[in-house]
Amino acid sequence: MSSIDTPAEVPRPRAAVQTAAPSTMTWVTLALMTTASVASLRAAPTMAVYGLACVFLYLVPAIVFLLPTALVSAELASGWSGGVYRWVAEGLSKPLGFLAVWCQFAMTIFYYPSLLAFVASTIAYVIDPSLASNGVYTAIVIMVLYWTGVWVSSRGTKALAGLSSWGLIIGTLVPGTILVVLGMVFLGQGNPSAAPMDAGHLLPEWTGLASLVLIVNNFLSYSGMEMNAVHVSSLKNPAKEYPKSMFLAMGLVLLIFILPALAISWVVPADQLSLTAGVMQAFDAFFSYFDVGWMTPIAAVMLISASLAGMLTWLAGPSKGLLEISRQEGYLPPFLQKLNKFGIQQNILVTQGIVTSAIALMYALIPNVSSVYWIFSTITTQVYLIVYLLMFAAAMRLRKTRPDHPRGYRVPALGLVCTVGLLASLAALAIGFVPPSQFGGGSVWSYVLFIACGLLVLGFLIPWLFLRFRKPDWRTATATAAPGASSEGDRA
């Protein structure tokens, strides 16, 4: 399968309801929690294509996007509870707050097909590796696994609550460590690297504007840093300890992203690397070299179990946040607000499942699975960037309009930090419309039109229609203080 540039990581959905933070927390603990919420092996093949240059491609977005996101979300979380809806509602307006929480939910519509395409290709390595590039097979696996996940989640299974932490260990840390160790042993025995590892390849080859796609599409590899900002008030000295925690987390995340990508590039040539099955290609090559081919299915099971655990753990999270806001403010029609006997928003999950199934069929209709993966990942990135644009704008306005509001942490030079984050996010949004340098064979305008339609319909048209046609009786829950209900946040 020919490889094409893809976003290094499809942003992962975040839980809408945070658990209560402990009374005190060390900055190291917070760094580890943040690492667990961001790091993933699924990104490795997309950057392994560029060999040593992946270090640069990960480092630049970490500086201009990761740090601003982490620092700004910490100030907002330490001043206003309720997550991104409350932040944007207080700083800008309630409708824009709804747009932010909608985009957090909407990006999962494309996230799950991308995640399950990775699972399908991994399963294929256990059954028949040729299936990894079969669109019909991929579409079937996506639909079967997703609807199974909907059924499990709709029953409110509490045992799923701790699966994400086990997913980090089973599907990221253990296989990632094995991959890197095998790679080092492989090179240590005198075998040549499939990708050049000299200083001349530290920077990616410049092929025009399309080359920028490699940098900006790595921004969303770091999505989720805002998730753990809610714990900033649990630190003994937030002003000093939170920045230390974020720098440590950034270092750990970079190691988890970069080292496995390098290990893959050592053994799998770029022109043979699959975007969805690249991790398994590397495991298969290493295990075959060391005559332990029987371990390939074991590695596949580890990756599969971690991905499925992640899907089940997060499936109901973003939709629950959207549901709670909608019941209080009347943003969604009553049909989508109904709960089943287990207290789960089943109608939202089923509606999302219908759309997900339609998206899955694209894998069957478009011959190149990697091309579909790229397009869906790009739309996911575009939609989620809206959240960060609103967050940075809200932070600057709140500092200006409510400077005396208590905050457990204040970002030094907030204006500069937010400006860097805004410009980086806008750059990522704009460059997302540029077809990557290796995206060949298709019409450029067709690509731009597809991405634009996905962004406009999913990110703007649908939430606008909900706001335009909502009725007073759509508010199905009364709350003494709905999120963002202060006078500062009630501007329409």
Side-chain angles (χ1 to χ4, degrees), residues 6-9 43 46-47 50 53-62 65-66 212-223 254 257-258 374 381 428:
T6 72
E9 176 61 57
T46 64
M47 288 297 103
Y50 307 101
C54 74
V55 178
F56 174 83
L57 296 175
Y58 273 125
L59 191 58
V60 172
F65 182 79
L66 169 61
L212 294 177
V213 175
L214 302 180
I215 297 177
V216 298
N217 277 319
N218 264 348
F219 287 5
L220 268 292
S221 297
Y222 304 113
S223 65
L254 285 172
F257 278 151
I258 292 172
W374 160 264
T381 299

Side-chain angles (χ1 to χ4, degrees), residues 94 324-325 327-329 475-485:
K94 280 188 176 182
E324 292 179 348
I325 297 302
R327 287 172 66 87
Q328 294 167 354
E329 301 292 340
R475 184 178 295 187
T476 58
T478 58
T480 56

Side-chain angles (χ1 to χ4, degrees), residues 206-402:
W206 178 256
T207 57
L209 185 61
S211 296
L212 294 177
V213 175
L214 302 180
I215 297 177
V216 298
N217 277 319
N218 264 348
F219 287 5
L220 268 292
S221 297
Y222 304 113
S223 65
M225 295 299 289
E226 73 279 5
M227 176 183 173
N228 289 303
V230 69
H231 298 300
V232 66
S233 299
S234 299
L235 298 174
K236 291 181 179 180
N237 188 346
K240 291 184 178 181
E241 293 183 343
Y242 190 81
K244 288 166 60 178
S245 176
M246 288 303 100
F247 277 113
L248 176 58
M250 185 173 74
L252 293 174
V253 168
L254 285 172
L255 288 176
I256 293 175
F257 278 151
I258 292 172
L259 294 182
L262 288 175
I264 293 173
S265 72
W266 295 336
V267 72
V268 183
D271 59 355
Q272 299 176 20
L273 189 61
S274 165
L275 299 178
T276 54
V279 176
M280 286 309 303
Q281 282 181 307
F283 273 122
D284 189 44
F286 281 135
F287 290 153
S288 297
Y289 174 79
F290 290 106
D291 293 324
V292 287
W294 55 270
M295 290 186 64
T296 299
I298 297 176
V301 170
M302 294 173 70
L303 295 173
I304 292 168
S305 62
S307 296
L308 293 181
M311 183 193 75
L312 291 173
T313 303
W314 298 110
L315 188 59
S319 59
K320 185 173 183 179
L322 179 65
L323 172 80
E324 292 179 348
I325 297 302
S326 298
R327 287 172 66 87
Q328 294 167 354
E329 301 292 340
Y331 290 129
L332 296 181
F335 170 77
L336 292 177
Q337 297 183 32
K338 288 182 179 179
L339 305 177
N340 65 10
K341 63 181 180 180
F342 298 102
I344 302 299
Q345 57 281 12
Q346 182 169 300
N347 286 3
I348 292 181
L349 293 178
V350 171
T351 303
Q352 183 181 6
I354 294 172
V355 178
T356 299
S357 297
I359 293 172
L361 292 176
M362 295 294 289
Y363 282 90
L365 299 176
I366 299 178
N368 192 331
V369 172
S370 285
S371 297
V372 189
Y373 184 89
W374 160 264
I375 291 173
F376 289 164
S377 298
T378 300
I379 293 176
T380 301
T381 299
Q382 302 288 73
V383 171
Y384 206 62
L385 279 168
I386 297 172
V387 178
Y388 289 107
L389 289 170
L390 292 171
M391 186 185 78
F392 287 126
M396 287 194 291
R397 197 165 193 279
L398 283 170
R399 180 69 77 87
K400 181 180 295 184
T401 60
R402 304 182 68 179

